[in-house]
Amino acid sequence: MSVRDLADYPWDAVTPFRERAAAHPDGIVDLAIGSPVDPTPEIIRHALAEATDAHSYPQTVGTPAVREAIVDWYARRRGVPDLRVDNVIPTIGSKELVALLPTLLGLGAGDIVVQPRVAYPTYAVGAQVAGATVVSEDDPARWPEGAKLIWINTPGNPDGRTWTVDELAAAVRRARELGAILASDECYAELGWDGPWASEPVPSVLDPRVTGGTRAGLLSVYSLSKQSNLAGYRAAFVAGCARVVGEILTARKHLGLMPPAPVQHAMAVALRDDEHVAVQKERYRQRRDVLRPALLDAGFRVDGSEAGLYLWVTQGRDAWESMGALADLGILAGPGPFYGDHSAQHVRLSLTAPLERIEAAAARLRGAAS
């Protein structure tokens, strides 16, 4: 298929609910999209500004500084101590990599791309653009013969599902049995909340406890959009198997996929500063601690959501009915059906709204329940 064969952009279907929510006397509380609202840290903004004399073409492979910062970050924050610079490259945000990865790897008709049953839609879009077949399956034992690329998402968007070390190791073993590349989308890894993730770091697919001593066939994808409020910078990276990363790099050179030089410099600075990440996580924790109990009081069930940027909730009825009920309270959510056929009764609520707006949503939910 071609890009022109893609369905209409699904978020257009949310427009009537947005208009309905905006009619609330106290205004809309927009929790539909996970787009950061908090300021980009000053240390990063300064880094971007000081690198604006960018008269030369940037390097697709990334500057030595940004590649070394990525390697150091994996060692310091993700428990991956043995990466080298040839294991990593920066990307123009993570969505373009997710969407283009099947194409960059040369997949096409007859090839299978596996995605989670409840999935970020771009996994399927990328497969469709390449002409590959999409299979939705969470259980590694059920991943099909013929799979060439397998996406896992930990912590998951939208459901917050987070894979343990043992689960990741089983996924790696199965992917290797199939001869498939296993790509782990880990963009929310700094945002652990419940269960073991309240006190332990979320593990990476590149963790030595997972890999069995080799990174062969493994990729980890990460973004600075959420942890550093850099969504507008389009700052992300991929790390893992040097052979696969090299193939991706060669294709990206031909396509001219080069993160701007000032962004690469800002990324290097952001990755070396943990303080601003802790500050941002605390903001999200405060919002979550306000919104989650209010949803429970209003009769919603919170599923998963032990990590990540969202609350994945259901009232046990059709998601569009819940969307309407929330819109009548001036609250805009994301509909579960956007994330696959297995989430027809769920909605997703983002923590990316100012605390004052989150508190307004909580008050409305409790008022409706009383």
Side-chain angles (χ1 to χ4, degrees):
M1 68 174 293
S2 67
V3 173
R4 69 179 60 183
D5 296 317
L6 293 172
D8 292 339
Y9 192 58
W11 284 96
D12 293 343
V14 175
T15 299
F17 298 91
R18 181 180 296 277
E19 294 171 349
R20 196 162 153 186
H24 191 278
D26 186 39
I28 189 173
V29 179
D30 189 347
L31 306 180
I33 303 292
S35 184
V37 299
D38 303 302
T40 300
E42 181 61 33
I43 186 175
I44 305 173
R45 294 161 63 188
H46 178 74
L48 184 78
E50 70 183 7
T52 52
D53 182 14
H55 47 273
S56 300
Y57 286 112
Q59 296 174 277
T60 304
V61 71
T63 64
V66 75
R67 297 172 83 196
E68 289 164 5
I70 295 168
V71 167
D72 292 346
W73 179 83
Y74 269 101
R76 189 177 72 253
R77 302 299 299 178
R78 306 303 312 281
V80 182
D82 57 349
L83 292 179
R84 303 181 305 272
V85 292
D86 60 349
N87 296 119
V88 304
I89 51 174
T91 63
I92 310 167
S94 60
K95 184 171 183 176
E96 64 94 343
L97 180 74
V98 171
L100 289 177
L101 187 58
T103 299
L104 296 175
L105 294 174
L107 273 61
D111 293 327
I112 295 173
V113 175
V114 178
Q115 67 169 5
R117 282 164 59 90
V118 178
Y120 177 53
T122 308
Y123 305 135
V125 169
Q128 291 164 4
V129 168
T133 299
V134 179
V135 172
S136 299
E137 182 54 62
D138 293 330
D139 183 356
R142 296 173 61 88
W143 289 344
E145 296 289 338
K148 295 295 182 64
L149 172 63
I150 299 168
W151 280 107
I152 61 174
N153 185 196
T154 173
N157 171 15
D159 59 357
R161 180 192 176 185
T162 304
W163 293 57
T164 66
V165 166
D166 289 345
E167 289 170 334
L168 286 169
V172 168
R173 290 191 296 270
R174 177 58 176 162
R176 287 175 175 162
E177 289 174 1
L178 296 169
I181 292 170
L182 180 64
S184 180
D185 180 348
E186 301 174 353
C187 291
Y188 302 95
E190 290 278 6
L191 302 176
W193 310 117
D194 295 336
W197 320 123
S199 56
E200 298 176 19
V202 171
S204 171
V205 76
L206 302 181
D207 189 308
R209 297 171 296 172
V210 171
T211 63
T214 172
R215 290 181 293 271
L218 305 180
L219 296 175
S220 165
V221 179
Y222 200 78
S223 167
L224 299 185
S225 292
K226 307 306 189 293
Q227 75 170 43
S228 300
N229 295 327
L230 293 187
Y233 285 45
R234 311 313 301 135
F237 46 88
V238 60
C241 174
R243 176 187 61 81
V244 179
V245 168
E247 292 175 3
I248 294 169
L249 174 60
T250 297
R252 294 176 69 82
K253 286 179 178 178
H254 283 293
L255 294 171
L257 295 172
M258 302 174 283
V263 171
Q264 293 191 39
H265 179 65
M267 286 176 65
V269 171
L271 285 164
R272 296 194 184 282
D273 181 71
D274 295 336
E275 182 178 355
H276 78 273
V277 180
V279 169
Q280 187 58 43
K281 181 176 181 179
E282 186 56 32
R283 289 184 181 127
Y284 288 137
R285 185 191 305 278
Q286 291 176 5
R287 296 165 189 172
R288 187 178 187 274
D289 288 348
V290 170
L291 185 60
R292 187 178 187 278
L295 287 163
L296 294 173
D297 290 347
F300 285 89
R301 186 183 77 234
V302 179
D303 289 339
S305 308
E306 67 263 27
L309 195 61
Y310 309 102
L311 292 170
W312 184 237
V313 305
T314 180
Q315 295 175 304
R317 60 173 172 169
D318 183 83
W320 295 104
E321 293 180 21
S322 294
M323 287 285 294
L326 288 167
D328 288 340
L329 298 176
I331 301 169
L332 186 65
F338 284 8
Y339 305 95
D341 297 335
H342 303 284
S343 50
Q345 294 186 336
H346 282 77
V347 297
R348 189 193 77 171
L349 295 120
S350 170
L351 302 176
T352 53
L355 181 59
E356 175 271 328
R357 290 283 83 193
I358 296 281
E359 290 172 338
R364 296 175 195 180
L365 287 163
R366 288 200 169 97
S370 63

